[in-house]
Amino acid sequence: MAKFTDINAYSKNLAAGYKPLPFRFMPLDSEKYVLTNMAGEFVVTDRDGLVEFAGGKLHHQSPAYSDLKSKHFLIDSDSDVALDLLALKVRTKLSPLANFTGLHIFVVTLRCEHSCPYCQVSRANDNRTDFDMTEETALRALDLVFQSPSPAIKIEFQGGESLLNLDLIELIVAEAKRRNETEQRELAFVFATNLAVLDERALEFAREHNIFISTSLDGPKDLHNRNRPRPGGDSYERTIDGINRARAVVGRDHVSALMTTTAASLDRAREIVDEYIRQGFRGIFLRALSPYGFALKTKFYQSYGHERWLQFYFDGLDYIIEMNRNGFPFTEQYAALILRKMLTPFQPGYVDLMSPSGIGIGAVVYNYDGDVYASDEARMLAEMNDKTFRLGNVHDNTYEEIFLGESLLDPIEQSFAPSAPMCSWCAFEPWCGSDPVFHYATQGDFVGKKPLSAFCGRNMAIFKGLIERMNQDPEIRTIFENWANN
Ligand code: SF4
């Protein structure tokens, strides 16, 4: 039977040199390797440097030695607090878990007057009020919201088109605020809306309650209107008009937009970025299409592979970097989330990049009919008649049954990246996520075979791409540090 080595053996080693701490490594290209530790700090070196370090042969006066020591890749005889510091950094990264669910999404209606072919929700016609959430369901969902231990609660109203059920939104906001008089949480609200039906009543309500507005803008007029058909073919005009009116009432920083990449977007990354700048945004989130709901039904998801999306992504990213070099500050927001993980001790709390997975923990969805889903994507999957990630119903189940049941704990446990095949030895694991819903939707199980996974392929290429760019040019490193810290 194997025995542990006596404790004195380790101190002898330290007296003679150094001891590497746990680390993982991957090739960046044919010459360079990236090394990461448990806290997500990283070092780039060549093969000889890696072999020298791992073999215990690094000279203690070399610059590489100091770099690796300061980033907790090794300890030596005078590393008194190094392990405690590393542990503290790992704890800081994992600390948001203790707060549990902060984002609570209320699907107040499935009605929508748009008919976007890539829509991830099976929308209902805008006169079908049987697809609206009832008051009773909303109040029961609020009971669950305030059982979350999170000190910060964000309630986001989604649809369909959320503003088609403004009566219910008004009731939920009033009731949440009333309950919060005793709860004293940090409470925020978001309208997720296409802005086409934004009227003065909704705007005044948003102003009065300091509500954030999140909309969709896919790019220039022709592209946006092609992606997002509605009666009158004027989705773009209504969105831009709505953005401007909303900014005037709730303030510029309370209005944000998201884009979705369709096949028609792929050659137009720079035009899409230009459109965001023209409309006065300070950043853009270059997003791929999700393999759920209508997008899959209409075969939109298969219309491009992740390699083609990556070309689009890096074209946009490099354009934005060039802009920053020329003195115009503008952020690519997906890169900023990853850079926050790479360059700071903090977690951005973005569900797709969490491990343990952020489903249920980072965000939860209360559907119009009272069903509770582990994420927005889980709800979209249910729209395709697959309720694997249905956690329960607000009318039938307790908080404990919903949030501590097997429907949530099973996928979180199985997909946990540090113990998943390939992820467990991947150098990018400290920055990555596990996304069991994506892997279930595309491969039929919570873990997924990572060599075949678009999630893995996309993230791995972006991790490498960001490191290469920082490594090649200190000016890009400075730009990225600004993104990570903003
Ligand atoms: S999904 Fe891919 S990139 Fe992410 S940790 Fe796993 S193997 Fe690495």
Side-chain angles (χ1 to χ4, degrees):
M1 194 169 70
K3 285 188 178 168
F4 289 110
T5 309
D6 187 87
I7 186 76
N8 294 324
Y10 296 101
S11 40
K12 267 187 226 138
N13 281 350
L14 285 183
Y18 64 85
K19 182 174 167 50
L21 292 172
F23 74 97
R24 290 178 270 197
F25 61 93
M26 299 265 294
L28 272 182
D29 53 34
S30 56
E31 289 169 13
K32 299 277 182 212
Y33 283 76
V34 60
L35 283 59
T36 59
N37 68 8
M38 295 167 74
E41 284 164 301
F42 71 97
V43 168
V44 176
T45 184
D46 57 20
R47 187 179 173 80
D48 290 345
L50 170 61
V51 170
E52 207 174 14
F53 164 58
K57 307 240 167 52
L58 207 57
H59 195 280
H60 72 281
Q61 281 179 331
S62 67
Y65 190 97
S66 313
D67 194 23
L68 287 160
K69 186 175 172 182
S70 69
K71 289 179 177 162
H72 313 291
F73 283 81
L74 64 85
I75 45 171
D76 57 21
S77 53
D78 65 345
S79 301
D80 294 343
V81 291
L83 275 180
D84 289 340
L85 262 178
L86 180 62
L88 184 66
K89 286 182 178 179
V90 173
R91 267 206 304 277
T92 304
K93 290 248 178 199
L94 293 173
S95 61
L97 278 177
N99 292 336
F100 218 61
T101 323
L103 175 60
H104 298 259
I105 296 170
F106 280 58
V107 180
V108 291
T109 180
L110 283 192
R111 288 183 287 145
C112 189
E113 30 61 66
H114 273 65
S115 50
C116 311
Y118 64 67
C119 182
Q120 291 147 355
V121 177
S122 298
R123 64 198 160 259
N125 289 337
D126 52 1
N127 54 0
R128 294 285 306 275
T129 51
D130 44 337
F131 288 99
D132 284 3
M133 183 180 270
T134 64
E135 282 185 24
E136 194 194 0
T137 300
L139 295 177
R140 181 67 197 123
L142 272 181
D143 292 343
L144 297 174
V145 169
F146 281 102
Q147 284 180 66
S148 164
S150 178
I153 299 276
K154 186 183 276 183
I155 297 178
E156 179 169 315
F157 301 108
Q158 283 197 10
E161 167 47 46
S162 62
L163 296 184
L164 289 174
N165 198 2
L166 187 58
D167 289 347
L168 188 75
I169 291 177
E170 288 175 344
L171 177 131
I172 295 169
V173 170
E175 180 59 19
K177 285 191 142 182
R178 189 190 67 74
R179 294 182 190 204
N180 204 40
E181 281 169 15
T182 46
E183 292 282 346
Q184 295 293 309
R185 315 285 183 100
E186 196 184 307
L187 190 58
F189 302 97
V190 182
F191 287 166
T193 167
N194 59 40
L195 294 173
V197 296
L198 181 75
D199 58 14
E200 291 311 310
R201 177 183 154 205
L203 270 178
E204 178 51 28
F205 186 73
R207 187 197 59 72
E208 191 184 336
H209 297 281
N210 201 25
I211 294 175
F212 291 85
I213 294 180
S214 170
T215 192
S216 300
L217 178 62
D218 281 358
K221 179 176 165 180
D222 67 302
L223 180 62
H224 181 97
N225 280 342
R226 179 176 168 181
N227 281 352
R228 305 180 62 81
R230 74 176 301 283
D234 58 352
S235 176
Y236 174 86
E237 291 81 347
R238 284 174 180 256
T239 300
I240 300 303
D241 178 59
I243 288 171
N244 292 329
R245 283 193 296 139
R247 281 176 174 162
V249 174
V250 296
R252 183 166 286 269
D253 288 341
H254 272 51
V255 183
S256 61
L258 278 174
M259 58 79 60
T260 298
T261 312
T262 64
S265 321
L266 291 172
D267 292 324
R268 305 180 65 178
R270 292 170 183 233
E271 285 176 69
I272 295 168
V273 172
D274 285 343
E275 177 67 31
Y276 270 68
I277 292 169
R278 207 165 24 248
Q279 300 308 334
F281 290 104
R282 297 178 184 134
I284 188 169
F285 196 133
L286 295 171
R287 279 198 320 163
L289 198 58
S290 299
Y292 312 97
F294 248 59
L296 207 61
K297 223 188 237 176
T298 57
K299 302 282 184 276
F300 248 74
Y301 182 66
Q302 285 94 338
S303 63
Y304 59 84
H306 77 269
E307 294 87 357
R308 183 65 190 87
W309 181 81
L310 281 166
Q311 284 174 18
F312 163 86
Y313 178 81
F314 283 118
D315 186 29
L317 179 70
D318 288 334
Y319 185 53
I320 293 169
I321 290 172
E322 209 41 50
M323 224 173 264
N324 281 270
R325 275 186 204 276
N326 293 330
F328 185 81
F330 192 81
T331 307
E332 198 293 298
Q333 287 156 353
Y334 191 57
L337 290 170
I338 293 169
L339 290 163
R340 191 163 173 78
K341 291 183 145 215
M342 285 178 168
L343 302 175
T344 80
F346 305 110
Q347 286 292 325
Y350 180 63
V351 171
D352 293 2
L353 289 177
M354 285 170 73
S355 182
S357 165
I359 59 169
I361 297 176
V364 70
V365 178
Y366 307 96
N367 206 9
Y368 75 98
D369 56 1
D371 279 350
V372 183
Y373 290 100
S375 71
D376 214 13
E377 290 75 16
R379 189 241 322 186
M380 294 162 189
L381 202 62
E383 300 289 347
M384 305 297 291
N385 298 319
D386 186 335
K387 299 197 172 181
T388 302
F389 297 93
R390 178 184 176 276
L391 307 182
N393 187 284
V394 299
H395 299 290
D396 305 331
N397 298 104
T398 63
Y399 181 86
E400 287 73 18
E401 285 168 347
I402 290 171
F403 288 95
L404 298 175
E406 291 302 301
S407 304
L408 182 60
L409 298 189
D410 244 14
I412 290 178
E413 186 183 345
Q414 284 190 38
S415 64
F416 185 52
S419 56
M422 197 160 138
C423 302
S424 60
W425 63 85
C426 172
F428 304 125
E429 186 278 321
W431 308 321
C432 203
S434 52
D435 210 337
V437 184
F438 179 92
H439 289 107
Y440 176 83
T442 53
Q443 296 190 25
D445 68 72
F446 302 142
V447 184
K449 296 173 192 68
K450 296 298 167 21
L452 305 176
S453 157
F455 170 87
C456 175
R458 217 168 32 223
N459 280 336
M460 201 178 276
I462 294 176
F463 298 143
K464 285 185 180 182
L466 294 175
I467 296 172
E468 278 162 4
R469 282 162 177 77
M470 272 189 274
N471 212 31
Q472 278 159 11
D473 187 340
E475 203 182 336
I476 296 181
R477 168 102 192 186
T478 306
I479 293 166
F480 282 2
E481 278 169 355
N482 285 337
W483 291 5
N485 287 297
N486 273 335

